[in-house]
């Protein structure tokens, strides 16, 4: 049984083919990279429309899967940029009609969580979801994923991207800032904004730009921003952990690629006697495989929809969607993580 997943919430168009044991049979992706500045939703959507036909063909060929072997088509319904979501949903509807198989809507944030959970082999971990648009500490409870803490303003990745672009760099800033931070040595004072289990980053952005204007070294800024922001995320994750019986944490989202963040959370979790798991980098960033895998789970719980009920939902929050598969008796499969590509 193979599910094809379509991801198109923001900058990345991606197609994944995943079997019922969470083996990733194929993953093809193409990221829209603006020459200057951040993402323009319409331009990103046009990019996705251009690349999807080839991505679908390449994925099927790479996995040697025929359309008749695809059991369902899953797509990211939200949250995300409206034009980008609609581009992916249109492709998914078309494939589901052409191949006469069910259409399964999937929440993008829940998909980040589910791929990390299945690869970790942990049944009920706490989740730190750190991406461009989202920063949330998540736990499952009574039928859906609950947000225990989150950003009060911008997502951690958007903060890093915006800062890096303001410093003269290009999108995406997070990975480049990570490289730059390796050359930093001086820890500059920046606002540390934790409110219970929530965080905020806009004050740090303003302060970092002010330090830059006063001549601070860029590498020192990158280093200080990473240390301060990731300490904030580690603190709220620890606070949430203290309220739970089980001590394990999984990471998801593009910022979970970051070595420093992985290391800081790992140290905190292991100090408390728990386990920390982060997926391979190609499954931390936006990808069609996480949509396909969550499509499997949703399909098992009977969550397919007719085309006329498949409207995209740009503001669909993690805690708005039910996750009935969590209560099903089927055992969690243990998959072998795919080869890591960065
Ligand atoms: P979401 O809708 O889940 O918010 P997204 O559109 O932000 O998703 P992701 O691919 O999950 O997409 O995350 C992209 C973000 O991850 C970008 O902001 C990018 O700068 C950041 N990122 C990627 N690699 C790293 C890294 N090594 N260190 C820090 N940030 C990173
Ligand atoms: Fe994402």
């Amino acid at each position: 049984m193979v599910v094809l997943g379509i991801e198109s919430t923001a900058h990345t168009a991606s197609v994944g083919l995943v079997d019922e044991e969470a083996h990733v049979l194929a993953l093809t992706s193409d990221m829209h990279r603006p020459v200057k500045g951040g993402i323009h939703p319409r331009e990103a959507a046009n990019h996705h429309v251009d690349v999807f036909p080839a991505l679908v063909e390449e994925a099927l060929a790479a996995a040697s899967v025929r359309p008749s072997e695809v059991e369902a088509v899953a797509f990211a319904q939200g949250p995300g940029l409206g034009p980008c979501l609609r581009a992916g949903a249109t492709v998914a509807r078309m494939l589901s009609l052409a191949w006469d198989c069910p259409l399964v809507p999937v929440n993008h944030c829940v998909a980040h969580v589910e791929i990390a959970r299945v690869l970790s082999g942990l049944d009920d971990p706490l989740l730190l979801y750190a991406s461009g648009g989202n920063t949330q500490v998540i736990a499952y409870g009574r039928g859906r994923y609950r947000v225990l803490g989150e950003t009060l303003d911008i997502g951690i990745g958007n903060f890093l991207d915006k800062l890096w672009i303001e410093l003269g760099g290009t999108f995406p800033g997070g990975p480049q800032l990570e490289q730059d931070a390796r050359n930093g040595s001086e820890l500059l004072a920046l606002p540390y904004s934790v409110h219970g289990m929530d965080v905020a980053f806009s004050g740090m952005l303003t302060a970092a730009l002010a330090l830059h204007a006063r001549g601070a070294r860029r590498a020192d800024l990158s280093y200080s921003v990473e240390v301060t922001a990731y300490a904030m995320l580690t603190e709220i994750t620890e606070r949430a952990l203290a309220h739970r019986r089980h001590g394990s944490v999984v990471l998801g989202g593009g910022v979970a690629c970051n070595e420093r963040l992985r290391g800081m959370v790992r140290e905190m979790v292991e100090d408390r006697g728990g386990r920390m798991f982060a997926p391979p980098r190609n499954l931390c960033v936006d990808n069609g495989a996480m949509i396909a895998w969550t499509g499997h789970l949703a399909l098992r719980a009977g969550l397919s929809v007719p085309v006329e009920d498949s409207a995209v939902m740009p503001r669909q929050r993690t805690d708005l969607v039910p996750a009935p598969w969590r209560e099903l008796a089927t055992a969690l499969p243990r998959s072998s993580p795919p080869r890591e590509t960065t």
Side-chain angles (χ1 to χ4, degrees), residues 170-326:
T170 53
F171 176 87
Q176 302 176 70
L177 194 131
E178 176 172 32
Q179 294 301 325
D180 196 42
R182 299 215 166 104
N183 301 318
S185 50
E186 191 187 348
L187 186 60
L188 307 167
L190 289 166
Y192 184 94
S193 194
V194 169
H195 309 271
M197 276 188 258
D198 296 328
V199 285
F201 296 109
S202 50
M204 199 187 318
L205 177 61
T206 308
L209 291 176
L211 283 173
H212 177 61
R214 289 206 295 275
R217 268 182 73 223
R218 194 186 67 184
D220 288 336
L221 266 180
S222 297
Y223 168 67
S224 308
V225 160
E226 279 210 336
V227 168
T228 311
Y230 298 154
M232 287 162 53
L233 296 188
T234 307
E235 178 179 336
I236 61 167
T237 308
E238 181 166 28
R239 185 155 300 127
L241 257 193
H243 291 277
R244 287 172 58 82
R245 272 176 296 139
H246 313 293
S248 296
V249 173
V250 300
L251 301 186
V255 183
C257 291
N258 188 278
E259 280 302 324
R260 190 185 308 276
L261 177 63
R262 289 177 178 222
M264 288 168 79
V265 175
R266 182 181 302 282
E267 192 179 334
M268 178 276 287
V269 174
E270 290 180 355
D271 271 359
R272 301 181 65 95
R275 249 190 76 200
M276 193 289 277
F277 175 85
R281 286 176 176 70
N282 61 339
L283 296 178
C284 280
V285 296
D286 288 355
N287 66 87
M290 67 182 190
I291 305 297
W293 171 240
T294 311
H296 266 290
L297 297 171
L299 194 64
R300 263 180 230 178
L303 293 182
S304 64
V305 292
V307 165
E308 53 272 26
D309 294 339
S310 65
V312 300
M313 299 191 182
R315 295 186 181 278
Q316 186 185 57
R317 274 179 60 88
T318 310
D319 45 12
L320 262 180
V321 292
W325 57 85
R326 288 289 309 247

Side-chain angles (χ1 to χ4, degrees), residues 7 9-12 31 79-80 108-109 112 129-134 156-158 160-161 171-175 178 226 230 253-259 281 284-286:
E7 159 60 34
T9 54
H11 42 71
T12 299
M31 188 186 198
H108 174 89
C109 312
H112 274 295
Y129 166 38
S131 66
N134 292 282
I156 172 87
N158 286 358
L160 298 172
D161 294 339
F171 176 87
E178 176 172 32
E226 279 210 336
Y230 298 154
V255 183
C257 291
N258 188 278
E259 280 302 324
R281 286 176 176 70
C284 280
V285 296
D286 288 355

Side-chain angles (χ1 to χ4, degrees), residues 4-6 14-17 52-53 55-57 59-60 67-68 70-75 87-103 307:
L4 183 143
I6 299 271
S14 178
V15 175
L17 284 168
F52 262 128
L55 293 179
V56 171
E57 275 186 25
L60 291 171
S68 59
V70 174
E71 198 204 354
V73 176
F75 70 101
T90 304
V91 173
R93 288 176 197 127
M94 215 175 63
L95 294 177
S96 133
L97 290 173
W99 297 345
D100 194 21
C101 63
L103 180 65
V307 165

Side-chain angles (χ1 to χ4, degrees), residues 156-175:
I156 172 87
N158 286 358
F159 157 61
L160 298 172
D161 294 339
K162 190 158 177 36
L163 174 64
W164 189 250
I165 289 168
E166 295 280 340
L167 295 177
T170 53
F171 176 87

